[in-house]
Amino acid sequence: MYPKVRMRRLRGLKLLTESRVSVDDLILPLFIDETIAAKKPIESMPGQYRHPIEGVVKEVSEARSLGIKSVLLFGIPASKDETGTEAFNNEGVVQRAVRRIKQDIDDIVIITDLCLCEYTTHGHCGLIEDGQVLNDPTLEVLGKIAVSQAQSGADIVAPSGMMDGMVKAIRAKLDDEGFSDTAIMSYAAKYNSALYGPFREAADSGFQFGDRSSYQMAFANAREALREVELDIQEGADIVMVKPALLYLDIISKVRARFDVPLAAYSVSGEYAMLKAASEKGYLKHNDVMMEGLTAIKRAGADLIITYFAKEAAKVLKT
Ligand code: PBG
Ligand code: ZN
């Protein structure tokens, strides 16, 4: 007899769609540059800009009107130093931007990237001695940055420097200073990826010597990611993140299977740049590949997607 089960019978039924991207899942990263008066295009990320503080308010309200409910803020300070002191300046670029956004827009979840690399002259994510990134002395600085960001009104702080013990140190400091309601989204499994190239132009956070391999993970390792995530959960992370996303769907899937915590995936600058370049050349259909990629990230198990495509995807989802 001809097969009783015919998969084609139900194929294409919207009713049976297993994974959906919703605008509710999308987080838009934004770059705020203290030194500019008008928005400035980021060359390697067509469609993305550095914004001045006043301009970012407009950008957030535009995102909000498209249905986007959260933004992730990166700051480019006017001055950098060896230890990144601008990162915990209460009048710093991110702190001012958070206050300014909250003044105008109340129903937006503001996440602040918490790291040193945009604020240090050497561009590394921690304090440096003899060419080495120091783990433990960096933790104290991260705690200070967290408090300063929370004070300015950040809802969630997102430590991205891959220092051991960073979540524990930040949680303790936030609680001590009365910010027990400020959440932590930890870049728990952050790989040392060549896909961050365009971001370093965007955020002016390229390093002056060495690389990030002493603190970020090697791309060949998967079990190690599970240990990283487990530690961050034990230390008090409210949301854990895998980064990058599309080349790391196996990691997203493994983390999802093992842990019942909210999981974010960061679709990074290089993922964005690759599609922009290919679609500019006419080699790929932009919106189709964009939605396929975002859906794949959801299918792998992410609850949230940090993506530079957030506004474009929101427009597609509206129609
Ligand atoms: C720095 C940081 C990086 C990204 C987010 N935070 C780059 C890096 O580690 O060098 C990458 C984001 C992207 O590529 O979109 N802590
Ligand atoms: Zn960093």
Side-chain angles (χ1 to χ4, degrees), residues 29 31 45 74 113-118 125 160-161 187 190-191 193 195-200 205 207 212 215-216 243 266-270 308:
F31 301 100
M45 300 174 72
F74 293 92
D113 183 78
L114 199 175
C115 203
L116 281 178
C117 51
E118 291 112 57
C125 303
S160 63
Y187 288 65
K190 179 176 179 181
Y191 284 87
S193 173
L195 291 169
Y196 305 152
F199 175 93
R200 291 173 187 161
S205 69
F207 34 82
R212 302 214 202 283
Y215 44 108
Q216 298 181 351
K243 177 185 177 186
Y266 196 143
S267 182
V268 301
S269 58
Y308 303 99

Side-chain angles (χ1 to χ4, degrees), residues 125 159-162 166 186-197 200 207 211-229 241-255 263-266 268-269 271:
C125 303
S160 63
M162 287 291 280
M166 67 183 183
S186 174
Y187 288 65
K190 179 176 179 181
Y191 284 87
N192 182 21
S193 173
L195 291 169
Y196 305 152
R200 291 173 187 161
F207 34 82
D211 57 32
R212 302 214 202 283
S213 63
S214 69
Y215 44 108
Q216 298 181 351
M217 287 181 51
F219 55 71
N221 295 358
R223 290 191 302 267
E224 187 186 347
L226 297 175
R227 294 192 72 198
E228 285 282 3
V229 169
M241 189 204 296
V242 171
K243 177 185 177 186
L246 281 180
L247 295 186
Y248 297 81
L249 294 180
D250 58 327
I251 310 299
I252 295 171
S253 164
K254 286 186 165 125
V255 171
L263 172 59
Y266 196 143
V268 301
S269 58
E271 298 175 48

Side-chain angles (χ1 to χ4, degrees), residues 10-24:
L10 301 176
R11 189 147 292 145
L13 280 193
K14 272 249 167 77
L15 202 60
L16 296 173
T17 300
E18 295 179 34
S19 306
R20 280 193 184 82
V21 179
S22 157
V23 69
D24 295 352

Side-chain angles (χ1 to χ4, degrees), residues 11-150:
R11 189 147 292 145
L13 280 193
K14 272 249 167 77
L15 202 60
L16 296 173
T17 300
E18 295 179 34
S19 306
R20 280 193 184 82
V21 179
S22 157
V23 69
D24 295 352
D25 313 324
L26 304 178
I27 299 168
L28 174 67
L30 292 170
F31 301 100
I32 307 151
D33 184 340
E34 202 169 27
T35 69
I36 58 178
K39 72 175 183 181
K40 190 173 157 196
I42 299 161
E43 214 178 303
S44 53
M45 300 174 72
Q48 300 300 311
Y49 300 84
R50 290 190 190 187
H51 300 276
I53 291 179
E54 271 314 304
V56 84
V57 180
K58 195 169 149 246
E59 185 66 16
V60 174
S61 73
E62 209 177 295
R64 193 62 205 82
S65 65
L66 287 166
I68 293 164
K69 291 163 187 68
S70 182
V71 291
L72 169 62
L73 305 183
F74 293 92
I76 298 127
S79 70
K80 306 190 188 219
D81 59 25
E82 189 58 25
T83 56
T85 54
E86 266 302 298
F88 53 85
N89 178 354
N90 288 336
E91 293 305 317
V93 55
V94 162
Q95 288 83 350
R96 284 195 288 142
V98 175
R99 288 199 295 269
R100 190 59 197 83
I101 294 166
K102 290 264 161 159
Q103 221 171 58
D104 277 24
I105 307 165
D106 54 10
D107 57 349
I108 189 87
V109 175
I110 299 189
I111 309 173
T112 47
D113 183 78
L114 199 175
C115 203
L116 281 178
C117 51
E118 291 112 57
Y119 299 89
T120 50
T121 38
H122 47 75
H124 277 292
C125 303
L127 301 175
I128 298 282
E129 202 178 272
D130 300 328
Q132 302 289 322
V133 177
L134 303 176
N135 192 89
D136 297 12
T138 302
L139 300 180
E140 199 191 314
V141 187
L142 297 182
K144 279 198 218 172
I145 305 172
V147 169
S148 160
Q149 292 179 342

Side-chain angles (χ1 to χ4, degrees), residues 268-289:
V268 301
S269 58
E271 298 175 48
Y272 179 85
M274 285 195 287
L275 177 53
K276 287 294 168 193
S279 61
E280 268 174 24
K281 286 216 163 210
Y283 296 164
L284 289 173
K285 272 187 148 174
H286 184 273
N287 287 357
D288 291 354
V289 176

